[in-house]
Amino acid sequence: MTIALSILIVILLLYIIYVRRKTKQDIDEFAESIINRDFSRKYPRFQSIADTFVNLAAEKEAQQHYLKEMLELVDTGILAYDVETHESLWMNDSFTTMLNIPHIKNINWLKKQNENLFNELLDVPVNKSTLITIHARKQTIKTMTNASVFQTGGKTYKLIAFHNVSATMEEVESGAWKGLLNVMTHEIMNSIVPVSSLSDTLRRKIHTLKENVSEPSTTDLEDMELAMDTIHRRSEGLLRFAETYRNLSQKIVPDMKSHNLYDLLGSVHSLMNPSLQQKGITFTLKTNTPEVTAFMDRDLIEQVIINFITNATYATSEKENPQIHLFSGYDSEGHPYITVADNGRGIPDSIRDKIFIPFFSTKKNGNGIGLSISREIVKLHNGKLHVQSQEKEGSAFTILFSKKDE
């Protein structure tokens, strides 16, 4: 009896040891499953707990997916990065599109590509709405930024939201000069009307002289007639330009027709070349594709080009070998373009963002209207106005027209 009881006790002890080890093994394996988030194996004694973890993980994944989709849909650019390592925690498509960069794992990549942009991101103030200007890939973007700092997983992150306000600010800038434009058009028309009338009278007088006298020669008269025709056409264009902008509260509809860009630049070259030659400025016209055409209001675009040339004349006034060049053609994406380039003083970075603001001018007697109106005209054509400039090297103003299928 004693022997049997001893054997029973030994068996019970072994069973208890086995159960304890088995339980410990199950707990260790279950704990490892929790750590690895792998619940493919069934644990009968812990199944309710495992199901709870699975449900929580599914809910968390759904919330993360919802948050990700929401952040991708908003127009606001969002960037979150580790403040110490600069590793990216998150950046949405709006941010990469706004800055024209790929999704990157570490924002240190920007330091090699665009150090100024990299420094601007690091310097965004925390807990304060700030308007900053971002220079990225030959474009300037004005953004309203908000930043905050948070900690998770023992790391500190900076979260920045970028809202592109360039279009809004352009509308505000346009509104600044619309109220005073009637005064300007009144003064322009007072000056242009007599010039237009005089040129037309001279043109008719030349016709009379050609028919009734032998002197001066026909060639001379034809040259004079051509010059008067140029003056008359430009005067009529200016009259129409002023009339178009007399009342900007009404919708302006440009007289859109297909025009050859090389012919347009040739006409402007004939008009401006004599005065530029007197100033000692080399004035050229170049193109590799003379057949390029674009839909435009010729008078308005001609006014823009003349304004660019006038600005270029001022910018090259201190150059020993001043040059102004006209170009036309197609860009890499097939957009017709016109460029006016010079080798003048260039535009300082500190004021490059201000040149389209109405009444802002670096000229001693400038009124700051020309570039504001030029941008407005280009916008009426659904075009784009690009500016490239380098101090002491020169500037280039380019009008990009819409393609025929756009």
Side-chain angles (χ1 to χ4, degrees), residues 295-312:
F295 280 92
M296 69 177 79
D297 185 314
R298 176 173 176 138
D299 291 334
L300 294 179
I301 293 299
E302 191 173 274
Q303 178 67 26
V304 173
I305 299 169
I306 291 173
N307 180 61
F308 291 163
I309 296 173
T310 302
N311 289 343

Side-chain angles (χ1 to χ4, degrees), residues 174-337:
S174 296
W177 60 267
K178 287 181 180 179
L180 296 176
L181 199 55
N182 283 336
V183 176
M184 185 196 69
T185 54
H186 176 73
E187 296 300 322
I188 291 177
M189 292 183 72
N190 283 346
S191 301
I192 293 301
V193 169
V195 172
S196 178
S197 176
L198 177 60
S199 64
D200 189 47
T201 300
L202 289 174
R203 183 168 59 86
R204 286 186 277 109
K205 183 65 173 178
I206 290 173
H207 277 294
T208 303
L209 291 173
K210 287 175 64 177
E211 295 176 354
N212 299 328
V213 300
S214 58
E215 295 288 343
S217 68
T218 302
T219 301
D220 291 336
L221 289 173
E222 288 178 349
D223 290 342
M224 293 174 63
E225 183 180 10
L226 177 60
M228 291 300 102
D229 281 341
T230 302
I231 294 173
H232 178 68
R233 183 175 47 78
R234 179 83 294 270
S235 299
E236 291 294 332
L238 285 174
L239 281 172
R240 183 175 175 276
F241 163 78
E243 185 64 31
T244 299
Y245 281 86
R246 180 188 291 273
N247 187 359
L248 287 181
S249 62
Q250 300 178 359
K251 184 177 180 180
I252 300 170
V253 181
D255 183 16
M256 304 291 283
K257 296 180 181 178
S258 179
H259 293 280
N260 183 284
L261 299 188
Y262 187 70
D263 290 345
L264 169 63
L265 292 182
S267 177
V268 175
H269 187 272
S270 299
L271 178 67
M272 302 294 291
N273 193 44
S275 62
L276 294 180
Q277 283 184 336
Q278 291 178 359
K279 294 180 173 66
I281 299 175
T282 300
F283 189 36
T284 66
L285 169 59
K286 300 178 182 178
T287 185
N288 293 325
T289 49
E291 74 282 358
V292 177
T293 60
F295 280 92
M296 69 177 79
D297 185 314
R298 176 173 176 138
D299 291 334
L300 294 179
I301 293 299
E302 191 173 274
Q303 178 67 26
V304 173
I305 299 169
I306 291 173
N307 180 61
F308 291 163
I309 296 173
T310 302
N311 289 343
T313 302
Y314 173 78
T316 58
S317 59
E318 298 177 359
K319 283 283 185 176
E320 293 183 1
N321 181 28
Q323 299 178 22
I324 300 175
H325 306 286
L326 305 180
F327 302 94
S328 66
Y330 290 111
D331 71 355
S332 58
E333 297 180 358
H335 293 93
Y337 76 87

Side-chain angles (χ1 to χ4, degrees), residues 374-396:
S374 296
R375 183 174 65 177
E376 192 74 11
I377 292 174
V378 173
K379 287 169 65 177
L380 287 174
H381 288 74
N382 293 320
K384 295 180 180 180
L385 180 54
H386 290 179
V387 181
Q388 293 178 287
S389 185
Q390 186 174 350
E391 282 194 78
K392 299 180 181 180
E393 297 294 331
S395 303

Side-chain angles (χ1 to χ4, degrees), residues 56-245:
L56 289 174
E59 291 177 3
K60 184 177 180 180
E61 183 178 356
Q63 291 175 353
Q64 290 179 339
H65 181 72
Y66 172 79
L67 178 61
K68 179 180 178 180
E69 291 298 322
M70 182 177 66
L71 293 177
E72 291 297 348
L73 287 174
V74 297
D75 293 332
T76 300
I78 297 176
L79 168 68
Y81 67 92
D82 189 318
V83 296
E84 293 184 1
T85 65
H86 295 163
E87 290 183 355
S88 302
L89 176 66
W90 177 260
M91 61 175 63
N92 65 351
D93 289 340
S94 294
F95 174 80
T96 58
T97 301
M98 184 183 300
L99 271 61
N100 195 18
I101 62 173
H103 285 270
I104 53 179
K105 295 182 178 180
N106 194 303
I107 64 173
N108 285 330
W109 177 85
L110 287 173
K111 192 171 185 179
K112 298 180 180 179
Q113 305 296 322
N114 189 335
E115 187 172 359
N116 290 333
L117 175 58
F118 174 79
N119 292 329
E120 287 173 340
L121 293 180
L122 297 184
D123 293 339
V124 174
V126 176
N127 298 326
K128 180 181 179 182
S129 296
T130 308
L131 179 66
I132 66 172
T133 301
I134 296 177
H135 303 281
R137 300 286 178 90
K138 297 183 179 180
Q139 62 177 340
T140 300
I141 304 170
K142 292 182 176 64
T143 65
M144 185 64 70
T145 61
N146 292 275
S148 62
V149 174
F150 65 93
Q151 292 183 337
T152 181
K155 296 183 178 181
T156 302
Y157 295 91
K158 188 174 184 179
L159 175 66
I160 311 175
F162 301 84
H163 183 62
N164 191 339
V165 295
S166 294
T168 302
M169 293 195 66
E170 287 182 4
E171 292 180 2
V172 173
E173 292 168 5
S174 296
W177 60 267
K178 287 181 180 179
L180 296 176
L181 199 55
N182 283 336
V183 176
M184 185 196 69
T185 54
H186 176 73
E187 296 300 322
I188 291 177
M189 292 183 72
N190 283 346
S191 301
I192 293 301
V193 169
V195 172
S196 178
S197 176
L198 177 60
S199 64
D200 189 47
T201 300
L202 289 174
R203 183 168 59 86
R204 286 186 277 109
K205 183 65 173 178
I206 290 173
H207 277 294
T208 303
L209 291 173
K210 287 175 64 177
E211 295 176 354
N212 299 328
V213 300
S214 58
E215 295 288 343
S217 68
T218 302
T219 301
D220 291 336
L221 289 173
E222 288 178 349
D223 290 342
M224 293 174 63
E225 183 180 10
L226 177 60
M228 291 300 102
D229 281 341
T230 302
I231 294 173
H232 178 68
R233 183 175 47 78
R234 179 83 294 270
S235 299
E236 291 294 332
L238 285 174
L239 281 172
R240 183 175 175 276
F241 163 78
E243 185 64 31
T244 299
Y245 281 86

